[in-house]
């Protein structure tokens, strides 16, 4: 949703953007980019706004090249503070301890998914590295 604001900023500053920002729902990246288009895809404090963050993750994997990186950096359990409101922070993201290390978990009052386990058991990823870091201010 920020693409049009970035374009306005380039206009105000009278600069030509190095690449034009493209507005595209995370769940529909395959409609905006070809498969294996990026070496790295990165989302920061935004996937928790998606209607379907699991589909969004699959789409991120679809647009990254084999061996590439999908990097997610989000505030912990942001959905709790936002009361899981539609369009805002609809989901809570957390890291939980598991017997084989730390796992990335997405949850709401009606659903909980161990994303690390889902990605690995489904063959969507060969490795998942989940870590707690300071808030992405």
């Amino acid at each position: 949703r920020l693409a049009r604001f970035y374009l306005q900023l380039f206009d105000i500053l009278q600069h030509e953007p190095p690449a034009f920002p493209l507005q595209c729902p995370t769940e529909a990246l395959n409609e905006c980019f070809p498969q294996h288009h990026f070496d790295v895809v990165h989302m920061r404090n935004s996937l928790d706004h998606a209607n379907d963050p699991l589909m969004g993750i699959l789409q991120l994997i679809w647009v990254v090249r084999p061996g590439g990186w999908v990097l997610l950096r989000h505030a912990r359990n942001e959905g709790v503070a936002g009361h899981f409101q539609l369009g805002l922070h609809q989901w809570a993201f957390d890291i939980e301890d598991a017997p084989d290390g730390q796992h990335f978990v997405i949850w709401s009052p009606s659903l909980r998914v161990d994303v690390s386990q889902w990605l690995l058991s489904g063959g969507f990823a060969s490795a998942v590295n989940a870590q707690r870091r300071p808030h992405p201010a």
Side-chain angles (χ1 to χ4, degrees), residues 36-84:
H36 305 149
H37 187 68
F38 298 104
D39 293 322
V40 176
V41 292
H42 174 254
M43 291 191 79
R44 181 175 172 169
N45 207 29
S46 54
L47 188 59
D48 55 340
H49 297 258
N51 289 322
D52 186 344
L54 297 175
M55 175 56 75
I57 290 170
L58 289 179
Q59 290 290 303
L60 292 168
I61 292 169
W62 193 84
V63 298
V64 76
R65 69 167 172 78
W69 290 78
V70 174
L71 303 172
L72 304 175
R73 188 163 185 199
H74 290 76
R76 185 176 184 201
N77 293 325
E78 195 79 25
V80 175
H83 305 287
F84 299 97

Side-chain angles (χ1 to χ4, degrees), residues 94-105 112-118 120 128 130-132:
D94 204 355
I95 305 295
E96 295 181 355
D97 292 326
D100 59 343
Q102 293 188 312
H103 282 214
F104 171 40
V105 174
R112 183 188 174 287
V113 177
D114 181 330
V115 179
S116 298
Q117 180 182 1
W118 175 71
L120 294 170
V128 176
Q131 299 177 12
R132 280 194 195 103

